[in-house]
Amino acid sequence: MNPRRISKPIQIGDVIVGSGNPIAVQSMAKTDTRDVVSTIAQIRELEACGCEIIRVAVPDAEAAQALLAIKRAINIPLIADIHFDYRLALTAISADVDGLRLNPGNISEPEKIKVLAKAAKEKNIPIRIGVNAGSLPKDSNPEFTVAQQMVETALKQIHLLESFDFDLIKISLKAFDVPTTISAYQDIARKTPYPLHIGITEAGTPRTGIIRSTVGISTLLYLGIGDTIRVSLTAHPREEVIAAYEILKSLNLRSRDPILVSCPSCGRAEVDIIKLAKQTEEQLIKINKPIRVAVMGCVVNGPGEAKDADIGIACGKGKAVLFKKGKKIALIEEKDYLAALMREIKRF
Amino acid sequence: MNPRRISKPIQIGDVIVGSGNPIAVQSMAKTDTRDVVSTIAQIRELEACGCEIIRVAVPDAEAAQALLAIKRAINIPLIADIHFDYRLALTAISADVDGLRLNPGNISEPEKIKVLAKAAKEKNIPIRIGVNAGSLPKDSNPEFTVAQQMVETALKQIHLLESFDFDLIKISLKAFDVPTTISAYQDIARKTPYPLHIGITEAGTPRTGIIRSTVGISTLLYLGIGDTIRVSLTAHPREEVIAAYEILKSLNLRSRDPILVSCPSCGRAEVDIIKLAKQTEEQLIKINKPIRVAVMGCVVNGPGEAKDADIGIACGKGKAVLFKKGKKIALIEEKDYLAALMREIKRF
């Protein structure tokens, strides 16, 4: 795995993004921002499942005016997502949001950026330059690839902000096409010191979108690129947060939950391993410690993997061996598999 | 994306693996191999959803004897998965299976490998050296990392097979830990010319296992490594095949199905985009062409992405614009969104 790219840190509320800090997990509320009650409820639900930064859409003045009430009622940093109308960003700044996201595809006029840079700087509010392949500026160079156009668009806005002495900058360059997205991030990573918010845009429904997002995000992370991640799914944002942590866990970049190792089952298994793994997974949701649990169905890799886990079970015919830190601790009957496993996990 | 590593091709039934051929999707039957009827039914179901190579567990003589009947009743190459008892591999060879998988962690004695190499060579049956971190040989060097032990184990078996003039070899080095797996494959890719079967072992239930498998497999593919893939999930093998194709599709390595681009929805959307995307996805399952469909909820990226798609819909308030190859073709009412979209998709 490549060492993590060193980036210039920024502070979003109490979360530091960049420069070796933990890769922050963020999501976006899908409620109507003007519906303050529903928006706060959804954000609190996301906080409970580990979301560390939340963004809300600010499509009009009423939504911008709702930001203050939302900000006061939540515990994680709030980012206002602004398109087209720079005055909405000014309202958001006066509501003390923790960050802004501007799309240079629809707000890029120097005089507007100048006003925003000044107002944001006074309050130390960082700005994400959020480039999206679906909304590139009309004057993008058509001879460039989409990746190059995205990078070009970001660089222009970066230079503009820098010319107004503003450097609390974060950058994202999202496309639906994964190789395009990866190549754009690799390029911008070389060209600027700013932290990067990574993700794949419009990735789709969970069935396909989780895989598409994971391919893009995990490859970038493997290459050492990315300071904060958002998994975009056409689904409840809770699914985005859960998926984000699974990606980070798979690369050993963050761990806060139990890890379940379970074999895929095959013609060798003499127990319904799919059912046992599912039941174990459901029980593990309530366990808040980074414990490694193995549920294995046969004698090939079973004992090996089960021994490597903190708590493991290797099932044979009607009986299973329970392992704790590599040591056999019990031989158990089939009817007791789940109960015995969970008892040891809770004790651990 | 790195160019694909050039590997020495092998032929498994009518599927060529390696050397720039399409990355083959494989899975493993989870039925009891001795139950021929269920095993054949499951393999046929997998064929129907695109599985290109199937493996079955061969834990005993009865399972080995079932191979002939299974082989005759299916249309994709059959691989026999052998552990501990090399005689089961001989029975599999006499049943004309298309490939063998041997685990060097439990079959590695030179005299046995010699017999198998001779018998397999006579029938041109390739052998996968399937190393698994959970079942490394007892004499592995404990000073090595797990990745190094896996590579060492594979190299020993490779040299043994080569010494018996056998080179129809494929290799896999699977661990649960993703960075370990990636590092092992990178190392073996440099040290041998043989094609690589890639995957993450015991990745878990779909919720977490799809992400873990995707992280490992997609990173390797991005690095140019991998000739055939198996996604291991504690679930019905159909899910493994679907996930495998989604990974390949995300990296533009294979495409056989429609691609659905859909926005994650946010406070800007004036339509229930999650519902519309889900309904579209369900309808698309029946469409067998590589068409790109975009379902977008607002005016920011909506028109841009919808225009990039073969058929796209960009929804506003109560009305949406339908796009075909970048051209607006209709303005439609909310009640007609799904019907109008599907009509154009079918016509395309």
Side-chain angles (χ1 to χ4, degrees):
Chain A
M1 220 163 128
N2 288 6
R4 277 184 67 191
R5 162 180 175 264
I6 300 300
S7 57
K8 187 176 173 323
I10 55 169
Q11 183 148 2
I12 302 173
D14 54 359
V15 179
I16 302 176
V17 171
S19 180
N21 286 284
I23 293 163
V25 169
Q26 54 175 290
S27 184
M28 189 165 182
K30 300 189 180 182
T31 48
D32 183 332
T33 309
R34 294 163 298 192
D35 177 351
V36 173
V37 173
S38 302
T39 302
I40 291 170
Q42 188 169 78
I43 295 173
R44 284 189 179 160
E45 190 192 340
L46 293 173
E47 287 174 0
C49 66
C51 183
E52 296 170 312
I53 298 172
I54 189 71
R55 179 160 49 111
V56 296
V58 186
D60 60 20
E62 202 186 332
Q65 267 137 28
L67 293 169
L68 194 62
I70 295 168
K71 166 79 191 151
R72 283 186 181 153
I74 64 172
N75 304 297
I76 53 175
L78 179 67
I79 294 181
D81 195 65
I82 314 281
H83 297 265
F84 303 111
D85 186 351
Y86 85 109
R87 292 165 305 178
L88 298 173
L90 289 175
T91 312
I93 292 169
S94 66
D96 285 334
V97 295
D98 302 291
L100 290 175
R101 180 265 171 126
L102 300 181
N103 182 341
N106 52 45
I107 304 180
S108 62
E109 299 84 339
E111 61 279 17
K112 293 179 184 170
I113 298 297
K114 184 177 182 178
V115 174
L116 289 181
K118 187 165 175 284
K121 196 180 177 182
E122 268 170 18
K123 292 197 166 180
N124 267 316
I125 296 174
I127 294 176
R128 166 157 68 98
I129 300 174
V131 181
N132 194 300
S135 52
L136 286 166
K138 292 196 175 45
D139 63 352
S140 293
N141 187 337
E143 282 173 25
F144 280 9
T145 62
V146 172
Q148 288 170 327
Q149 288 181 43
M150 290 201 291
V151 170
E152 229 15 62
T153 303
L155 288 175
K156 254 193 210 166
Q157 194 93 318
I158 289 170
H159 297 148
L160 204 52
L161 283 169
E162 286 174 341
S163 76
F164 302 125
D165 201 25
F166 187 89
D167 66 354
L168 305 175
I169 297 172
K170 191 173 62 165
I171 303 159
S172 67
L173 308 169
K174 299 186 187 179
F176 173 79
D177 187 71
V178 174
T180 295
T181 306
I182 294 173
S183 134
Y185 276 106
Q186 286 184 295
D187 194 15
I188 202 85
R190 280 187 293 266
K191 291 178 174 162
T192 71
Y194 299 113
L196 300 175
H197 161 127
I198 62 173
I200 298 297
T201 196
E202 287 103 27
T205 58
R207 187 176 193 107
T208 59
I210 285 181
I211 292 179
R212 181 168 286 269
S213 283
T214 303
V215 171
I217 292 172
S218 69
T219 305
L220 283 167
L221 291 174
Y222 186 86
L223 297 170
I225 292 171
D227 300 286
T228 174
I229 69 178
R230 184 213 173 180
V231 176
S232 298
L233 296 175
T234 311
H236 192 286
R238 185 197 316 117
E239 300 300 322
E240 301 185 346
V241 174
I242 294 171
Y245 277 106
E246 287 300 329
I247 294 171
L248 293 172
K249 208 154 77 171
S250 298
L251 288 166
N252 304 333
L253 289 167
R254 305 266 313 246
S255 70
R256 33 152 230 165
D257 303 314
I259 290 181
L260 176 62
V261 182
S262 71
C263 81
S265 185
C266 71
R268 192 176 287 280
E270 294 181 301
V271 59
D272 185 348
I273 206 76
I274 296 180
K275 190 173 151 205
L276 181 61
K278 247 193 195 151
Q279 290 172 330
T280 308
E281 179 178 49
E282 279 158 21
Q283 299 276 325
L284 285 179
I285 289 172
K286 299 168 221 155
I287 308 287
N288 283 313
K289 46 189 171 189
I291 183 175
R292 179 169 167 147
V293 178
V295 175
M296 306 292 295
C298 86
V299 292
V300 175
N301 303 311
E305 278 292 345
K307 274 164 72 181
D308 258 4
D310 293 316
I311 302 292
I313 186 167
C315 307
K317 192 165 186 165
K319 281 192 183 3
V321 177
L322 208 60
F323 292 88
K324 182 175 173 176
K325 279 276 173 207
K327 286 206 183 90
K328 291 187 196 181
I329 53 170
L331 186 67
I332 46 179
E333 299 289 325
E334 189 156 351
K335 65 174 174 46
D336 302 326
Y337 286 176
L338 184 66
L341 191 60
M342 292 313 302
R343 194 170 49 239
E344 286 309 321
I345 289 167
K346 281 172 195 159
R347 268 192 206 153
F348 191 82
Chain B
M1 222 162 128
N2 288 5
R4 278 183 67 191
R5 161 180 175 264
I6 300 300
S7 57
K8 187 177 171 322
I10 55 168
Q11 183 148 4
I12 302 173
D14 54 359
V15 178
I16 301 176
V17 172
S19 180
N21 286 283
I23 293 163
V25 169
Q26 54 176 289
S27 184
M28 190 165 181
K30 300 189 180 181
T31 47
D32 184 331
T33 310
R34 295 164 297 193
D35 177 351
V36 173
V37 174
S38 301
T39 303
I40 291 170
Q42 188 169 80
I43 295 174
R44 285 190 179 158
E45 190 192 339
L46 293 173
E47 288 174 359
C49 67
C51 182
E52 297 170 311
I53 297 172
I54 189 71
R55 179 159 49 112
V56 295
V58 185
D60 60 20
E62 202 187 330
Q65 267 138 29
L67 293 169
L68 193 61
I70 295 168
K71 166 79 190 149
R72 284 188 180 151
I74 63 172
N75 304 297
I76 53 175
L78 179 67
I79 294 181
D81 195 66
I82 314 282
H83 297 265
F84 304 112
D85 186 349
Y86 85 110
R87 292 165 306 178
L88 298 173
L90 289 175
T91 311
I93 292 170
S94 66
D96 284 334
V97 295
D98 302 291
L100 289 175
R101 181 267 171 123
L102 300 181
N103 182 340
N106 51 46
I107 304 180
S108 62
E109 299 86 338
E111 61 279 16
K112 293 180 184 170
I113 297 297
K114 185 179 181 178
V115 173
L116 289 181
K118 187 166 176 284
K121 197 180 175 182
E122 268 170 18
K123 292 198 166 179
N124 268 315
I125 295 175
I127 294 176
R128 166 155 69 99
I129 300 173
V131 181
N132 194 300
S135 52
L136 286 166
K138 294 198 172 45
D139 63 353
S140 293
N141 188 338
E143 284 174 23
F144 280 8
T145 62
V146 172
Q148 289 170 326
Q149 288 181 44
M150 290 202 290
V151 170
E152 227 20 58
T153 303
L155 288 175
K156 255 194 209 166
Q157 194 93 317
I158 289 169
H159 297 148
L160 205 51
L161 283 169
E162 287 174 341
S163 76
F164 302 125
D165 200 25
F166 187 89
D167 66 354
L168 305 174
I169 298 172
K170 193 173 61 168
I171 304 159
S172 67
L173 307 169
K174 300 186 187 178
F176 173 79
D177 187 71
V178 173
T180 296
T181 307
I182 295 173
S183 133
Y185 276 106
Q186 286 186 294
D187 193 15
I188 202 82
R190 280 187 292 267
K191 291 177 173 162
T192 73
Y194 299 112
L196 300 175
H197 160 127
I198 61 173
I200 298 296
T201 196
E202 288 104 27
T205 57
R207 190 177 189 107
T208 58
I210 285 182
I211 292 180
R212 182 168 284 269
S213 283
T214 302
V215 171
I217 292 172
S218 70
T219 305
L220 283 167
L221 291 174
Y222 186 86
L223 297 170
I225 292 170
D227 300 286
T228 174
I229 68 179
R230 185 214 173 179
V231 176
S232 297
L233 297 174
T234 311
H236 191 285
R238 186 197 316 118
E239 300 300 322
E240 302 185 347
V241 174
I242 293 171
Y245 277 105
E246 287 301 329
I247 294 171
L248 293 172
K249 209 154 76 171
S250 298
L251 288 166
N252 304 333
L253 289 167
R254 304 266 316 244
S255 71
R256 32 150 231 164
D257 302 316
I259 291 181
L260 176 63
V261 182
S262 71
C263 81
S265 185
C266 71
R268 193 176 286 279
E270 294 181 300
V271 59
D272 185 348
I273 206 75
I274 296 180
K275 190 171 151 208
L276 181 62
K278 249 195 194 149
Q279 290 172 330
T280 307
E281 179 178 49
E282 279 159 20
Q283 298 278 325
L284 285 179
I285 290 171
K286 299 170 221 154
I287 309 289
N288 282 312
K289 46 189 172 189
I291 184 175
R292 179 167 167 151
V293 177
V295 174
M296 306 293 296
C298 87
V299 292
V300 176
N301 303 311
E305 279 292 345
K307 274 164 70 181
D308 259 4
D310 293 316
I311 302 292
I313 186 167
C315 306
K317 193 165 186 167
K319 281 194 183 2
V321 177
L322 207 60
F323 292 88
K324 182 174 171 177
K325 280 276 175 207
K327 287 207 182 89
K328 291 187 195 180
I329 53 169
L331 187 69
I332 46 180
E333 299 290 324
E334 190 155 354
K335 64 174 177 44
D336 302 325
Y337 286 177
L338 184 66
L341 190 61
M342 291 314 302
R343 194 171 48 238
E344 286 309 320
I345 290 167
K346 280 173 195 159
R347 266 193 207 153
F348 192 81

